[in-house]
């Protein structure tokens, strides 16, 4: 059957549904128009394994969140779909009613603007990874990880219980509890990515319980934000981790130059590398505290709300009788600030120094590699970052258990070398320093563009 005309999309979709999706064929050009933003085509289509799906209404019911699937409207979502879903058979029931056809036989496997060789080589690598069993979790590893978090948590309480709440034991306890919270953050991250258990339902269930009861945050709130980041890392307006641009920071030289040329100045961005030290963690702390409750109430996630409230009841009952309410409030904000500082530096060292731009719809490998970098492997680096020093491997294979990142790294390096893609790896302190260096560079880019425009106006006047 010849591809339907652009104004006959509705007929094509109806025919595709009636015949189980096999009766309609489409071109990449037709799919590319269905982003939900281009009139008169308000539909949202995407492609998975050459099959074309209409997600115009389904995106609102998508279990992983509406935005993450909308970010791929009009694009090939094959590698993203494969990367995010552990049990393909389980999610197939959602796809069947959405099928409207497939790509025409003369169409390539992904958009013509993408490097087809990279696409095919990565999909072969994905098959190799599955055959090697690198997506299978080691339950003992994660049990020991959880055990050491519990011991840190108990150690924090015992320090106050035995030594009292004078300055030294108080600070030691804060450090232990903040460390436990940091490590729990990495473990909930594993659960959120379905990499702890072989069954998705067990990951989802434990993620909700531990995220709420052990951290006082909401699992679905985290999923809604984090999956978008993985789908389109460092893509402005699609990666929520970049939402601090331009209110607080000017991120990436291209976006910073745009702000300068538009004469926008929400902050003195040329000094952002200085105020990042406190403002980064300082802003994230109240944002997390407020937004998690707002999200749960707005979405009517009452069970998660009750579970996360139980976290505050637990630590209140543990510490208020030992130190009183006033010191407990100080204790709470200190360990939260320590935790958020660790989270900010570890999470941003792999991304802020990298390429930041609008969505260029490149292939999966290029999209992830240009937005991520690694930090040298060592026992401390692996533990301190929750193996997120292997950010490249984590982004290419989000459901891979973190204890297998080092095994797949040589294969990823070979793929990058073959296609001349930069594979960056640096020491931990260098990675931390690169955050400030990149902020300084983009801030200066904004300043130069801003002052150039101001000087131009002065000359005209």
């Amino acid at each position: 059957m010849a591809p339907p005309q652009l104004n006959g999309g509705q007929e094509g979709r109806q025919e595709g549904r009636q015949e189980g999706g096999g009766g309609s064929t489409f071109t990449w050009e037709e799919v590319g128009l269905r982003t939900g933003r281009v009139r008169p085509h308000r539909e949202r289509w995407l492609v998975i394994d050459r099959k074309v799906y209409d997600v115009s209404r389904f995106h609102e019911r998508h279990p992983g969140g509406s935005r993450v699937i909308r970010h791929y409207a009009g694009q090939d979502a094959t590698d993203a779909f494969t990367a995010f879903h552990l049990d393909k058979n389980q999610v197939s029931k959602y796809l069947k009613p959405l099928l409207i056809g497939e790509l025409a036989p003369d169409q390539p496997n992904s958009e013509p603007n993408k490097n087809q060789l990279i696409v095919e080589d990565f999909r072969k690598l994905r098959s190799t990874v599955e055959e090697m069993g690198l997506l299978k979790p080691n339950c003992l590893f994660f049990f020991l990880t959880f055990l050491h978090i519990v011991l840190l948590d108990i150690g924090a309480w015992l320090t106050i219980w035995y030594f009292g709440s004078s300055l030294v034991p108080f600070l030691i306890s804060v450090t232990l509890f903040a460390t436990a919270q940091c490590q729990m953050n990495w473990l909930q991250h594993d659960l959120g990515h379905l990499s702890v258990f072989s069954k998705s339902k067990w990951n989802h269930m434990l993620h909700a319980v531990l995220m709420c009861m052990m951290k006082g945050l909401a699992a679905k709130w985290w999923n809604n934000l984090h999956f978008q980041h993985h789908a389109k890392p460092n893509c402005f307006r699609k990666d929520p981790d970049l939402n601090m641009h331009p209110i607080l920071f000017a991120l990436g030289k291209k976006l910073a130059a745009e702000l300068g040329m538009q004469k926008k100045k929400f902050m003195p961005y040329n000094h952002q590398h200085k105020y990042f030290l406190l403002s980064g963690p300082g802003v994230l702390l109240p944002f997390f505290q407020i937004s998690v409750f707002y999200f749960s109430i707005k979405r009517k996630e009452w069970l998660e709300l009750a579970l996360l409230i139980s976290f505050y009841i637990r630590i209140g009952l543990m510490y208020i009788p030992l130190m009183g309410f006033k010191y407990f409030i100080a204790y709470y904000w200190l360990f939260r600030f320590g935790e958020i500082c660790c989270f900010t530096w570890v999470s941003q060292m792999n991304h802020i120094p990298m390429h930041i731009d609008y969505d260029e719809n490149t292939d999966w490998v290029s999209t992830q590699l240009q937005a991520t970098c690694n930090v040298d492997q060592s026992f401390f680096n692996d533990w301190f970052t929750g193996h997120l020093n292997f950010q490249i491997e984590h982004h290419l294979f989000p459901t891979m258990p973190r204890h297998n990142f080092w095994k797949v790294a040589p294969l990823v390096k070979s793929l990058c070398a073959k296609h001349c893609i930069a594979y960056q790896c640096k020491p931990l302190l260098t990675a931390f320093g690169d955050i400030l260096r990149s902020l300084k560079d983009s801030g200066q880019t904004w300043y130069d563009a801003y002052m150039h425009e101001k000087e131009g106006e002065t000359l005209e006047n």
Side-chain angles (χ1 to χ4, degrees):
M1 178 179 292
Q5 298 299 313
L6 293 181
N7 59 5
Q10 185 64 34
E11 295 178 3
R13 292 197 302 281
Q14 290 176 351
E15 183 178 352
R17 287 193 178 101
Q18 290 171 358
E19 300 183 17
S24 301
T25 57
F26 304 96
T27 64
W28 280 113
E29 182 181 4
E30 291 175 283
V31 173
L33 289 173
R34 270 63 178 202
T35 63
R37 299 188 300 273
V38 181
R39 293 182 178 180
H41 310 289
R42 287 299 191 182
E43 307 97 335
R44 288 184 171 90
W45 297 1
L46 53 77
V47 177
I48 299 173
D49 289 327
R50 297 188 62 86
K51 302 293 185 182
V52 181
Y53 299 92
D54 185 346
V55 297
S56 302
R57 295 183 178 179
F58 172 74
H59 73 87
E60 298 176 354
R61 308 190 311 274
H62 180 229
S66 172
R67 292 185 179 181
V68 68
I69 196 170
R70 278 162 39 197
H71 291 340
Y72 274 92
Q75 300 179 8
D76 178 24
T78 302
D79 293 314
F81 173 83
T82 303
F84 292 142
H85 297 93
L86 195 62
D87 188 344
K88 308 301 185 294
N89 294 327
Q90 181 185 12
V91 298
S92 63
K93 63 182 180 180
Y94 294 104
L95 289 177
K96 288 180 181 179
L98 310 177
L99 183 64
I100 60 173
E102 60 184 20
L103 293 173
D106 63 339
Q107 297 294 297
N109 288 335
S110 58
E111 295 97 319
N113 65 296
K114 293 182 178 177
N115 189 319
Q116 302 298 317
L117 292 177
I118 296 179
V119 172
E120 295 303 322
D121 281 352
F122 175 73
R123 291 175 184 176
K124 291 177 183 177
L125 175 58
R126 173 83 190 192
S127 297
T128 300
V129 165
E130 292 175 352
E131 291 172 1
M132 293 174 65
L134 297 182
L135 299 180
K136 296 179 180 179
N138 182 334
C139 292
L140 178 61
F141 171 87
F142 289 109
F143 172 76
L144 294 176
T145 299
F146 177 70
L147 180 62
H148 104 283
I149 293 171
V150 172
L151 292 176
L152 286 168
D153 192 300
I154 294 173
W157 181 82
L158 286 176
T159 300
I160 298 295
W161 176 77
Y162 187 79
F163 295 103
S165 57
S166 58
L167 182 61
V168 173
F170 181 88
L171 293 178
I172 292 174
S173 179
V174 166
T175 302
L176 289 173
F177 201 87
T179 303
Q181 287 294 295
C182 289
Q183 292 299 313
M184 179 54 70
N185 191 49
W186 311 142
L187 181 57
Q188 71 81 20
H189 178 266
D190 297 322
L191 288 162
H193 279 293
L194 313 180
S195 61
V196 177
F197 299 101
S198 57
K199 296 293 184 181
S200 297
K201 64 178 181 180
W202 285 105
N203 286 290
H204 287 306
M205 183 178 70
L206 266 295
H207 185 219
V209 171
L210 293 184
M211 184 65 155
C212 296
M213 299 184 68
M214 296 290 287
K215 287 197 62 63
L217 299 175
K220 291 184 179 178
W221 164 84
W222 181 88
N223 289 340
N224 180 62
L225 295 175
H226 195 66
F227 290 160
Q228 292 181 67
H229 162 69
H230 269 269
K232 295 290 183 178
N234 279 15
C235 292
F236 185 49
R237 296 199 178 105
K238 290 191 174 182
D239 181 356
D241 286 8
L242 299 183
N243 285 349
M244 50 189 164
H245 174 98
I247 302 301
L248 283 177
F249 304 103
L251 301 176
K253 290 186 176 181
K254 180 177 179 179
L255 300 182
E258 286 184 0
L259 284 179
M261 289 186 287
Q262 295 166 3
K263 292 178 286 187
K264 292 185 178 180
K265 183 182 180 182
F266 296 97
M267 294 286 286
Y269 302 121
N270 50 315
H271 297 291
Q272 63 184 0
H273 58 291
K274 301 173 185 176
Y275 64 75
F276 172 83
L277 295 171
L278 290 178
S279 63
V283 170
L284 281 180
L285 181 54
F287 169 76
F288 284 175
Q289 294 286 264
I290 296 171
S291 63
V292 65
F293 282 97
Y294 175 78
F295 178 91
S296 299
I297 294 172
K298 181 180 179 181
R299 301 292 181 92
K300 298 181 180 180
E301 299 291 346
W302 306 123
L303 177 59
E304 284 201 352
L305 183 62
L307 289 175
L308 71 89
I309 289 175
S310 72
F311 166 79
Y312 296 96
I313 295 174
R314 175 178 76 89
I315 62 173
L317 292 176
M318 288 174 64
Y319 288 98
I320 291 176
L322 298 179
M323 61 178 65
F325 183 76
K326 182 173 68 173
Y327 285 104
F328 168 72
I329 294 299
Y331 184 92
Y332 175 83
W333 288 111
L334 277 174
F335 86 71
R336 278 299 195 205
F337 186 75
E339 172 200 359
I340 206 70
C341 282
C342 174
F343 169 80
T344 301
W345 286 90
V346 170
S347 63
Q348 298 308 311
M349 69 181 182
N350 307 104
H351 297 298
I352 283 184
M354 304 303 291
H355 180 69
I356 298 174
D357 205 340
Y358 297 94
D359 182 15
E360 299 172 328
N361 190 23
T362 55
D363 60 88
W364 178 255
V365 176
S366 299
T367 296
Q368 305 302 328
L369 265 293
Q370 70 182 2
T372 57
C373 66
N374 279 8
V375 168
D376 292 342
Q377 181 185 19
S378 70
F379 178 81
F380 175 80
N381 287 355
D382 292 355
W383 172 80
F384 180 71
T385 67
H387 289 82
L388 293 182
N389 50 326
F390 288 97
Q391 193 74 203
I392 292 173
E393 288 70 27
H394 170 57
H395 266 257
L396 290 176
F397 307 99
T399 61
M400 179 179 288
R402 57 164 132 153
H403 52 73
N404 286 333
F405 288 156
W406 69 275
K407 297 179 183 179
V408 76
L411 301 178
V412 174
K413 290 179 182 178
S414 297
L415 177 67
C416 292
K418 178 180 178 180
H419 295 282
C420 299
I421 300 174
Y423 182 103
Q424 295 192 38
C425 188
K426 59 187 74 170
L428 181 64
L429 294 181
T430 300
F432 286 166
D434 282 348
I435 296 176
L436 301 181
R437 281 185 281 272
S438 64
L439 288 173
K440 184 178 181 179
D441 290 344
S442 59
Q444 187 62 44
T445 299
W446 166 83
Y447 183 77
D448 292 341
Y450 184 83
M451 293 307 295
H452 176 75
E453 291 296 315
K454 297 288 284 187
E455 290 172 2
E457 282 187 352
T458 302
L459 291 174
E460 288 178 3
N461 294 333

